[in-house]
């Protein structure tokens, strides 16, 4: 069994930021990032809201820079995935999918979350080409265009209001005529002349050649189908935290799979911390994930140094 001060599970902005702070605090640090380290940013072609870049930066390029920075500082990067976290107190045992085991004085969970998609034809084709799961990230590229947003919760309604600031038309498509969003936000959407509610309807297909040009929708009450012309589609039907490997551990999880962590990134286990989208109820933004990763790295370093 190999030993390390800190093992970070996940190599996205949260995991890399945590590693940078931890290794600079003197911790022997290992990141288990899997075969495709980088998280959801790898699917993002242009990022315009990450501070420090005058021009938009590609998600792959941004993560490559973070990984190179980690390696330069001495972080060990693993391409294996974590299968299990064992133990009730430090040191913890981290079991890799390939069978290798690590003993870690501290663990940071930074596995992120994957967007919940619609599962309709052409979805894979149009990801990054008019289809997005993050209006905050990609909405600005749709300025002056007509867009659709799919969902019925607070995220969908808040995204609709956000998009209406610079899009000429926003269609909010929801499968029912009742909403999970709070009434104040629903009222704001109803009062916005740029937003049209398309209710009791589901998206059946994304239309277009190289990029999205529209959607085919079906009314679930009448079964009638129709087409809406648009240049962008935003899916806001939730995200799935990547925390299945924790279900047999003692780390506390919410009903939706999010890791339970306080504002200092502490989980229900002493010495185990959580950062980024796997513990984020609200934002799911790269810069916020990086910030929470920095907090987790600082907290982990303080924990390990206290228990040496």
């Amino acid at each position: 069994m190999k030993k390390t001060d800190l093992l970070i599970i996940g190599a996205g902005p949260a995991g890399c930021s945590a590693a940078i702070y931890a290794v600079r605090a003197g911790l022997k640090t290992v990141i288990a990032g899997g075969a495709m380290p980088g998280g959801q940013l790898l699917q993002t072609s242009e990022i315009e809201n990450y501070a420090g870049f005058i021009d938009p930066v590609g998600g792959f390029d941004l993560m490559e820079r973070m990984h190179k920075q980690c390696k330069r500082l001495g972080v060990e990067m693993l391409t294996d995935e974590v299968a299990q976290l064992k133990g009730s107190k430090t040191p913890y045992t981290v079991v890799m999918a390939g069978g290798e085991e690590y003993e870690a004085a501290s663990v940071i969970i930074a596995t992120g979350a994957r967007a919940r998609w619609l599962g309709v034809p052409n979805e894979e084709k149009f990801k990054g080409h008019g289809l997005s799961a993050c209006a905050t990230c990609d909405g600005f590229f749709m300025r002056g265009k007509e867009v659709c947003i799919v969902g019925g919760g607070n995220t969908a309604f808040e995204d609709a209001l956000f998009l209406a600031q610079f899009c000429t038309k926003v269609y909010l498509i929801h499968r029912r005529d009742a909403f999970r969003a709070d009434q104040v936000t629903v009222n704001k959407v109803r009062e916005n002349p740029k937003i049209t509610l398309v209710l009791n309807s589901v998206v059946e297909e994304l239309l277009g050649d190289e990029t999205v040009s529209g959607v085919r929708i079906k009314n679930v009450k009448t079964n009638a189908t129709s087409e809406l012309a648009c240049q962008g589609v935003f899916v806001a039907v939730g995200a799935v935290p990547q925390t299945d490997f924790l279900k047999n551990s003692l780390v506390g999880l919410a009903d939706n799979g999010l890791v339970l962590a306080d504002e200092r990134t502490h989980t229900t286990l002493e010495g185990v911390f959580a950062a980024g989208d796997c513990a984020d109820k609200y934002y799911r933004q790269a810069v916020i994930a990086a910030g929470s990763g920095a907090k987790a790295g600082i907290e982990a370093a303080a924990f390990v140094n206290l228990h040496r």
Side-chain angles (χ1 to χ4, degrees), residues 69-184:
Q69 183 179 9
C70 287
K71 290 176 182 178
R72 180 181 65 81
L73 291 170
V75 177
E76 181 182 354
M77 305 284 286
L78 305 179
T79 56
D80 202 357
E81 294 184 353
V82 171
Q84 193 175 2
L85 174 63
K86 294 181 179 180
S88 59
K89 61 181 182 179
T90 186
Y92 294 95
T93 300
V94 180
V95 183
M96 312 304 293
E100 193 171 28
E101 295 187 353
Y102 278 78
E103 181 182 285
S106 181
V107 174
I108 294 176
I109 303 162
T111 47
R114 59 178 175 82
R116 182 177 284 116
W117 296 96
L118 302 175
V120 298
N122 293 325
E123 197 166 52
E124 288 299 322
K125 172 184 175 181
F126 289 129
K127 285 180 181 177
H129 300 280
L131 175 65
S132 171
C134 182
T136 306
C137 311
D138 301 323
F140 192 63
F141 299 111
M142 290 290 143
R143 54 190 179 275
K145 298 179 180 180
E146 297 188 358
V147 298
C148 292
I149 186 158
V150 185
N154 274 321
T155 298
F157 276 76
E158 290 166 2
D159 284 353
L161 291 168
F162 171 71
L163 292 167
Q165 297 177 66
F166 42 80
C167 293
T168 56
K169 186 72 178 178
V170 179
Y171 296 98
L172 193 154
I173 303 169
H174 184 44
R175 60 184 174 177
R176 297 180 294 173
D177 55 8
F179 314 109
R180 298 185 308 278
D182 64 77
Q183 194 58 47
V184 172

Side-chain angles (χ1 to χ4, degrees), residues 186-206:
V186 171
N187 291 341
K188 289 181 180 178
V189 165
R190 290 187 181 278
E191 293 165 2
N192 193 306
K194 284 188 174 183
I195 303 173
T196 297
L197 296 177
V198 183
L199 305 180
N200 299 311
S201 298
V202 294
V203 175
E204 286 209 313
E205 184 180 0
L206 301 174

Side-chain angles (χ1 to χ4, degrees), residues 198-218:
V198 183
L199 305 180
N200 299 311
S201 298
V202 294
V203 175
E204 286 209 313
E205 184 180 0
L206 301 174
L207 307 174
D209 294 322
E210 299 298 321
T211 62
V212 169
S213 64
V215 294
R216 180 174 291 112
I217 59 174
K218 182 179 79 171

